[in-house]
């Protein structure tokens, strides 16, 4: 997921200024999510209510997954 630092939308995450900050942000969500869903192919989705952020851990991908802001709030999380 940390490989995504160069690709994250700056508008979505204006407070994240470095790969280290992205790592801390993602780890906080994974370690203390407001909700968790198991997805197909061994993926796990983590929801953070305060920031309306979704982290998807995908051990089958070289980058281990993705992180993004939910466009439609928690509905986006449930639609995964």
């Amino acid at each position: 997921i940390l490989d995504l630092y160069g690709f994250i939308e700056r508008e979505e995450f204006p407070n994240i200024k470095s790969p280290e900050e992205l790592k801390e942000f993602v780890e906080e969500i994974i370690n203390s999510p407001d909700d968790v869903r198991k997805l197909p192919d061994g993926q796990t989705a983590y929801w953070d209510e305060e920031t309306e952020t979704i982290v998807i851990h995908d051990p089958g991908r070289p980058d281990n997954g993705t992180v993004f802001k939910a466009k439609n709030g928690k509905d986006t999380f449930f639609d995964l």
Side-chain angles (χ1 to χ4, degrees):
I1 295 173
L2 298 180
D3 291 340
L4 296 174
Y5 176 72
F7 301 102
I8 62 171
E9 295 289 330
R10 300 294 182 230
E11 312 81 58
E12 285 185 321
F13 303 104
N15 295 328
I16 295 177
K17 307 289 187 212
S18 70
E20 292 77 25
E21 289 181 7
L22 177 61
K23 179 181 187 276
E24 289 174 13
F25 180 67
V26 168
E27 285 177 348
E28 285 177 21
I29 294 172
I30 289 174
N31 291 331
S32 191
D34 292 305
D35 206 345
V36 178
R37 292 190 57 218
K38 294 291 184 186
L39 304 175
D41 302 323
Q43 301 169 338
T44 305
Y46 301 88
W47 169 252
D48 182 68
E49 187 73 39
E50 181 180 342
T51 63
E52 293 193 337
T53 300
I54 297 170
V55 174
I56 298 177
H57 177 241
D58 184 350
R61 289 179 43 164
D63 61 9
N64 286 316
T66 192
V67 57
F68 60 94
K69 290 274 194 175
K71 301 279 189 230
N72 295 315
K74 200 165 183 182
D75 287 342
T76 304
F77 179 75
F78 287 121
D79 288 341
L80 295 173

